[in-house]
Amino acid sequence: MINVALAGQPNSGKSTIFNMLSGVNQHVANYPGVTVDKKSACIKHHGESYQIVDLPGTYSFSMFSLEERVAKSFLLDEETDVIVNVVDASNLRRNLYLTFQLLELGKPVVLVLNMMDVAKRREIAIDCDMLAQMLNVQIVESIGSQQQGKAEILAAIERASQQSMTKPFMINYNELETYIAQLEKQITLESTIARRWLAIKALEGDDLILKKVGLTTESIRDLTATVHTRHDLDVDQSFACQRYASADLVYHKCVEEKQLGKVNLTAKIDRLILNRWLAFPILGLVIYLIYQLSIIGGYKLTNYTWPLFASLKNIVIDMVPEAQFIDLPPITDFAIWMVNSAIALLNYLPIFFILFALIAILEDVGYMPRMAFILDRVFRRYGLHGQSTLPLVLGGAFVGGCAVPGIMATKGIADERARLATILTVPYMNCLAKVPFYTLLLGAFFPNQMGQMMFYISTVTLFIALIVARFLTSTILANRETAPFIMELPPYHLPTIKGVLLRAFQRVYLYIKKVVTVVMAVAVVLFVLLQYPGVPGDKMAGFRDEANNALADFDRQAKKTGVYTLVDEQTEVFALINLYDGYKAKRMLAGSKKAVVALDQLFLAANPQLFPLVRPENSSRADAKKINKAVRKLSKVNKRLQMAIKSEKIANSFLGLFGRALEPITRFSGFDWRINVAFLSSFAARESAVATLGSIYETGQAGQRAEESIAQDGVYTPLHAVAMLLFMILSPPCIATMVVVKLQSNSYKWMLFATFFPITLGIIISSLFFTLASSLGWSGIQMMQYFYICVAALALALAFIKIKPSAWQVGE
Amino acid sequence: MTQNSKARLLLSDLQQDQKATVKTCVANGVLKQKLLNMGIIPGAEILMIRNAPLRDPIEIGIQNYFLTIRRSEAKLIRVEAL
């Protein structure tokens, strides 16, 4: 096995080269202890296996960013046989800055001149032989986006792995050489990395290297002070200047540029995209398009994927034991619950896929840093970063997004404090699954002011997110590392379809692997909490009586017909009801007339005797029609009783008890145990808040929707409704989001914080406003308006209070 | 422009399309290293390209690429107008 590390500066097209070398056979994981993606692939070439690791893109090997530290520790700790350095051929001079530091490692290096097409178009001629000779490396020309150069790179890696380093490349650092030599003597560490490299990094004061070689920061500080007094030189600056000077030298000997000074395409596009007046409209348009395509378009797509999931559900239901009238076997109940929970999450896959693909496109095109450039000033005031824009939009600008892709999109934020703050605030944005809950309550209590209320709900979330971000960054995150906003605006690039799809699939797969599994585990727990200890005996006896009456009624009706022998036994009646319900469920999914005919034939073949009673249109017998009517009635009674049992079960369940136990606290915001249970069950997936509330409120009356039964119930006033809305606006992330918070912040502590902080905030705010509103006699609308005004005013006020500058901002 | 004000010119003071060379940088620690890595070294040529639509940060051209930097950091870099 030969270990190959792929290194290069950001925007050098390193990922396209990695994709080209590895194909789809990639393994994505994290570097130990951090949230930086580690992509690796194992490939075979001429009978030898090569393990290729894609290092994070870095400009240098300093201590500035997490990526630089990760790349450095990888090279220090892992045995690397060959380094493949991808450079942007059209910007060779600057890319050489990293190349020199890679060459100093003393390992065989293959230099890949990528984007040769761009270089050719700009009439940049590179003398590769001269370059190879000067740097003492193999050089391969390639165009990653067009899959050119794969065989040549592999051949070069193969050659490099057999070669031994006889004459490592050296930059002459002039006055510093004495000190490098002095440190080299002090370093005793046995490593495959050149001592000179370790000595240079030690002299640069790199804490990671110092620890590794056993030198102290103090000794280096003394040394740099000596250099300063003896030669009037700043060590860091001398290193950087020498590297740039050497890059200049190599560049002038090897590269000839004909169009020097000509305005390139990127600059021309930027005149438009970053124009003072056009920047915001264009940004708005991009955000609007992302939102339309992913959330709205993806939602439409779910109309097509939903029948797939529903038929999956029918398959599962077919496999488990059938219901015996009102007695649902626990295993069946459980299976249906699990399938429903899974579908609720899988339903979002189309939305996620489109979103992840669009994000990948924006990343590849190079718009992301420009977005940050445009909006940084606004977000900085709240302790966030220009790059927080996209996560917040995905989390739910307008009327609903999803925190999961939003939090996943925080990966690129360079500033650690702003990144954590963004992760923790994205869940406050309006989640798509909260919308049914809002509509339920607004439909019940504010049918005439729905638009107005919805406007408040959808815009107030951004203010809340900004306030929370500001609060977190100036309190518990105050001492987190921040990074100065120094960012390259890369040249625009056309993304490759393969690269975009690959990334979208990888992210969707990550979602399925990490999130769905956890949510399923929680669904099991929730099932137990909602099902046990079950309906008390006396209540159940009452339901049973009702059921028996209905059955007796059916029996009387059936006796009058000539087909009584088909249904004279109870098991036959149960089978008939199940057949009736099963047929109805499948019939709903059959789109065309042809499909209905096929379905009928299938059912008839399986149940030649009973099916004519379910679908009497196909038979001319009046008896069958009569039975059919009776079955329909019986099925309705069955549904009502099952609902009532379910509602009774929830009331009596552990979760119901817990909801009651919480009443003393939630009393102040007007929540009774039923609302508590709905909120508790909304953890698994937010949709279930509506479902639970619905089933608690299900009166069994045909045609009455949950909105109506809640409004007519009389227990709740519009003030209760607003209190519920306020809690839901602030309410904690669902489990899927919590898992992603854990993934991206790499800490369970933050996950717990992200859960309990919003709950506390939600309880406090909703109690405060509920109490104020009840004692001052506000209407529901007034309560919402005052809340909105308070939040908006606070958010604007905070923008004018300056944030304390960070440590690195203090100059001389 | 007097000799005195010329000597005190900062990167954040440059007008759009104005050219300058880097003189010194008064940053420390990681910020200094980052600036050096991005090519802000004494003698490097800088072109002030534009302000962000909200005036901060700024975009400059240096070492044949485009870099954005906040005004607060640009204040730490002393330049000489060309």
Side-chain angles (χ1 to χ4, degrees):
Chain A
M1 174 87 92
I2 289 167
N3 293 309
V4 180
L6 201 63
Q9 290 198 342
N11 314 305
S12 60
K14 195 163 58 68
S15 316
T16 48
I17 296 290
F18 179 69
N19 288 343
M20 181 171 85
L21 291 178
S22 65
V24 289
N25 153 42
Q26 300 181 2
H27 179 72
V28 188
N30 275 359
Y31 284 93
V34 291
T35 56
V36 178
D37 267 346
K38 178 185 182 179
K39 286 190 192 163
S40 58
C42 196
I43 55 167
K44 287 239 187 259
H45 177 69
H46 288 177
E48 178 71 69
S49 356
Y50 295 85
Q51 171 81 22
I52 303 180
V53 172
D54 188 17
L55 294 180
T58 56
Y59 289 105
S60 172
F61 282 127
S62 68
M63 301 175 289
F64 178 69
S65 68
L66 193 59
E67 283 76 12
E68 291 183 1
R69 266 175 278 177
V70 164
K72 215 162 33 184
S73 17
F74 179 85
L75 289 172
L76 272 179
D77 299 336
E78 313 273 330
E79 291 290 315
T80 307
D81 301 308
V82 179
I83 295 170
V84 176
N85 177 209
V86 182
V87 303
D88 174 359
S90 63
N91 206 347
L92 186 64
R93 180 167 35 178
R94 196 162 67 97
N95 277 250
L96 283 175
Y97 191 80
L98 179 73
T99 305
F100 290 148
Q101 297 180 61
L102 288 169
L103 290 170
E104 282 168 345
L105 283 164
K107 301 214 170 195
V109 171
V110 173
L111 194 72
V112 176
L113 289 178
N114 193 24
M115 304 199 219
M116 282 305 286
D117 50 336
V118 181
K120 288 221 173 76
R121 202 169 55 228
R122 292 202 201 146
E123 294 181 52
I124 299 169
I126 301 173
D127 182 348
C128 290
D129 295 334
M130 177 63 109
L131 189 60
Q133 202 192 333
M134 283 186 90
L135 302 180
N136 189 23
V137 290
Q138 297 184 65
I139 296 197
V140 182
E141 293 178 41
S142 89
I143 308 172
S145 56
Q146 295 168 18
Q147 310 284 316
Q148 283 182 29
K150 180 175 176 173
E152 291 84 348
I153 295 173
L154 285 176
I157 293 174
E158 192 182 10
R159 277 196 300 275
S161 68
Q162 290 151 1
Q163 136 199 24
S164 61
M165 288 305 292
T166 44
K167 195 179 125 232
F169 172 86
M170 272 172 77
I171 285 185
N172 185 356
Y173 291 111
N174 305 331
E175 288 92 340
L176 297 177
E177 286 297 337
T178 351
Y179 303 94
I180 296 171
Q182 186 186 327
L183 282 172
E184 254 183 278
K185 277 195 206 111
Q186 286 179 38
I187 294 168
T188 49
L189 180 81
E190 279 308 320
S191 158
T192 55
I193 289 175
R195 286 229 173 104
R196 182 178 163 82
W197 189 83
L198 295 171
I200 291 170
K201 287 292 150 199
L203 193 53
E204 283 181 297
D206 191 312
D207 47 5
L208 205 88
I209 306 294
L210 288 177
K211 216 162 122 223
K212 192 87 185 171
V213 301
L215 288 168
T216 59
T217 320
E218 287 73 31
S219 65
I220 295 300
R221 207 175 294 151
D222 291 346
L223 202 57
T224 45
T226 316
V227 175
H228 192 81
T229 44
R230 264 197 223 157
H231 311 278
D232 194 24
L233 276 182
D234 179 291
V235 170
D236 289 334
Q237 195 170 303
S238 308
F239 274 121
C241 290
Q242 264 323 308
R243 284 178 192 137
Y244 270 105
S246 308
D248 251 350
L249 191 79
V250 173
Y251 171 81
H252 281 120
K253 285 218 163 153
C254 307
V255 183
E256 201 182 335
E257 263 186 85
K258 291 200 180 118
Q259 302 186 346
L260 219 55
K262 205 172 148 185
V263 179
N264 62 30
L265 190 64
T266 295
K268 279 184 199 152
I269 297 175
D270 271 344
R271 269 185 212 157
L272 202 74
I273 301 266
L274 299 179
N275 178 286
R276 216 167 136 193
W277 308 110
L278 291 177
F280 279 104
I282 292 174
L283 177 68
L285 191 73
V286 170
I287 289 176
Y288 178 75
L289 278 179
I290 295 175
Y291 184 77
Q292 275 294 327
L293 283 172
S294 59
I295 307 286
I296 309 289
Y299 212 72
K300 281 198 184 125
L301 253 187
T302 57
N303 287 338
Y304 299 98
T305 51
W306 184 81
L308 283 177
F309 292 131
S311 46
L312 191 78
K313 183 178 165 185
N314 284 337
I315 292 172
V316 173
I317 291 174
D318 282 346
M319 287 194 303
V320 292
E322 295 194 315
Q324 303 294 313
F325 201 43
I326 59 166
D327 292 305
L328 210 55
I331 178 76
T332 307
D333 213 3
F334 179 68
I336 294 173
W337 168 268
M338 291 307 281
V339 173
N340 277 340
S341 310
I343 288 176
L345 285 168
L346 294 177
N347 223 357
Y348 287 93
L349 288 188
I351 296 180
F352 286 174
F353 185 78
I354 297 175
L355 261 180
F356 293 149
L358 289 175
I359 296 173
I361 291 174
L362 283 189
E363 284 171 352
D364 286 0
V365 166
Y367 191 66
M368 294 292 221
R370 287 172 170 89
M371 209 173 197
F373 176 67
I374 296 168
L375 278 174
D376 179 63
R377 192 168 190 185
V378 178
F379 284 111
R380 191 183 1 156
R381 290 186 178 262
Y382 297 97
L384 297 174
H385 192 273
Q387 283 169 304
S388 308
T389 319
L390 191 76
L392 289 172
V393 167
L394 297 180
F398 316 114
V399 281
C402 181
V404 173
I407 294 171
M408 279 174 147
T410 58
K411 214 160 209 164
I413 301 177
D415 181 325
E416 177 68 7
R417 182 172 75 186
R419 195 177 68 88
L420 259 179
T422 314
I423 292 173
L424 296 174
T425 44
V426 166
Y428 290 89
M429 301 303 284
N430 256 331
C431 139
L432 205 58
K434 281 181 184 173
V435 175
F437 185 84
Y438 295 145
T439 17
L440 177 82
L441 282 179
L442 294 183
F445 294 98
F446 304 98
N448 302 322
Q449 297 108 330
M450 222 161 152
Q452 192 190 350
M453 290 296 266
M454 214 48 212
F455 170 80
Y456 291 143
I457 292 172
S458 51
T459 50
V460 81
T461 48
L462 181 65
F463 293 126
I464 294 174
L466 291 178
I467 294 172
V468 171
R470 177 66 192 265
F471 173 75
L472 295 179
T473 48
S474 48
T475 55
I476 46 173
L477 293 179
N479 296 322
R480 284 272 156 168
E481 235 177 275
T482 63
F485 185 95
I486 299 171
M487 207 170 49
E488 181 181 358
L489 293 185
Y492 288 105
H493 275 296
L494 274 179
T496 62
I497 295 172
K498 190 182 164 192
V500 167
L501 289 183
L502 202 64
R503 214 137 12 115
F505 272 117
Q506 274 167 355
R507 285 176 190 168
V508 167
Y509 177 67
L510 185 77
Y511 171 77
I512 295 176
K513 199 171 81 178
K514 298 274 179 180
V515 175
V516 178
T517 44
V518 175
V519 176
M520 293 319 279
V522 174
V524 176
V525 175
L526 214 61
F527 177 79
V528 173
L529 290 179
L530 275 169
Q531 288 289 314
Y532 295 95
V535 183
D538 52 329
K539 287 248 169 74
M540 198 60 205
F543 291 132
R544 233 172 253 297
D545 282 346
E546 265 190 78
N548 288 335
N549 287 340
L551 281 173
D553 207 35
F554 175 81
D555 200 48
R556 267 199 300 283
Q557 298 280 331
K559 250 184 197 151
K560 293 181 201 156
T561 66
V563 288
Y564 182 55
T565 49
L566 286 177
V567 289
D568 58 348
E569 276 183 48
Q570 204 160 51
T571 49
E572 288 169 344
V573 178
F574 293 166
L576 182 61
I577 294 173
N578 288 334
L579 189 65
Y580 176 82
D581 290 341
Y583 175 71
K584 251 176 59 177
K586 279 181 187 146
R587 173 76 193 268
M588 289 234 282
L589 296 176
S592 63
K593 255 204 175 128
K594 221 164 118 195
V596 175
V597 172
L599 188 68
D600 284 355
Q601 271 164 1
L602 206 69
F603 265 80
L604 192 63
N607 314 279
Q609 291 191 307
L610 288 180
F611 189 63
L613 304 180
V614 171
R615 181 96 205 239
E617 286 90 338
N618 288 349
S619 90
S620 51
R621 287 163 65 182
D623 288 343
K625 278 197 179 142
K626 231 178 241 167
I627 295 264
N628 179 258
K629 214 171 140 194
V631 170
R632 208 179 297 166
K633 198 172 146 202
L634 198 59
S635 161
K636 243 178 222 160
V637 174
N638 184 21
K639 284 245 165 71
R640 177 168 61 81
L641 283 176
Q642 278 192 6
M643 266 325 177
I645 292 172
K646 197 170 159 197
S647 154
E648 196 60 42
K649 225 182 231 168
I650 293 174
N652 203 44
S653 68
F654 293 122
L655 208 63
L657 292 178
F658 189 42
R660 269 180 236 273
L662 285 177
E663 268 186 354
I665 308 169
T666 59
R667 189 162 53 98
F668 298 104
S669 33
F671 302 163
D672 60 10
W673 70 269
R674 294 185 287 193
I675 300 174
N676 292 346
V677 170
F679 283 141
L680 286 171
S681 70
S682 80
F683 275 103
R686 205 98 51 162
E687 295 83 349
S688 50
V690 175
T692 316
L693 213 57
S695 63
I696 295 173
Y697 272 100
E698 196 67 54
T699 49
Q701 277 161 298
Q704 195 176 29
R705 292 157 49 128
E707 284 101 309
E708 293 162 5
S709 27
I710 291 172
Q712 284 166 17
D713 196 49
V715 179
Y716 304 139
T717 62
L719 296 188
H720 287 91
V722 177
M724 276 189 252
L725 287 173
L726 295 187
F727 184 78
M728 202 59 172
I729 287 171
L730 290 160
S731 83
C734 64
I735 293 198
T737 308
M738 280 162 56
V739 176
V740 186
V741 169
K742 156 76 185 66
L743 279 179
Q744 294 296 324
S745 66
N746 202 27
S747 117
Y748 284 104
K749 210 180 77 200
W750 286 123
M751 184 186 86
L752 292 176
F753 178 80
T755 316
F756 290 104
F757 185 68
I759 301 182
T760 320
L761 201 64
I763 282 288
I764 292 173
I765 298 283
S766 55
S767 304
L768 179 71
F769 276 83
F770 183 75
T771 315
L772 278 176
S774 341
S775 46
L776 296 175
W778 296 346
S779 71
I781 287 280
Q782 275 174 319
M783 181 171 164
M784 192 66 176
Q785 277 166 346
Y786 295 148
F787 170 71
Y788 189 86
I789 293 167
C790 286
V791 169
L794 182 59
L796 290 178
L798 281 179
F800 291 100
I801 304 170
K802 276 242 154 131
I803 288 188
K804 167 178 122 269
S806 318
W808 48 260
Q809 278 175 329
V810 188
E812 256 171 359
Chain B
M1 210 180 274
T2 68
Q3 201 60 34
N4 196 25
S5 72
K6 211 173 180 178
R8 276 207 207 120
L9 194 65
L10 302 174
L11 177 55
S12 53
D13 299 331
L14 293 183
Q15 300 298 311
Q16 188 155 347
D17 295 328
Q18 198 179 352
K19 275 190 182 166
T21 51
V22 177
K23 283 191 77 183
T24 52
C25 168
V26 291
N28 276 320
V30 283
L31 177 61
K32 181 173 81 177
Q33 282 199 341
K34 177 68 179 176
L35 291 171
L36 291 170
N37 287 339
M38 298 311 274
I40 302 182
I41 51 172
E45 255 185 57
I46 286 185
L47 169 68
M48 168 72 186
I49 296 176
R50 62 170 66 81
N51 288 320
L54 298 172
R55 234 183 81 77
D56 194 11
I58 59 172
E59 180 185 353
I60 59 171
I62 186 166
Q63 310 281 4
N64 199 24
Y65 78 103
F66 307 119
L67 183 77
T68 73
I69 178 169
R70 281 180 187 158
R71 285 183 174 274
S72 50
E73 279 84 49
K75 280 203 178 89
L76 304 178
I77 299 160
R78 211 165 279 169
V79 295
E80 192 174 65
L82 279 180

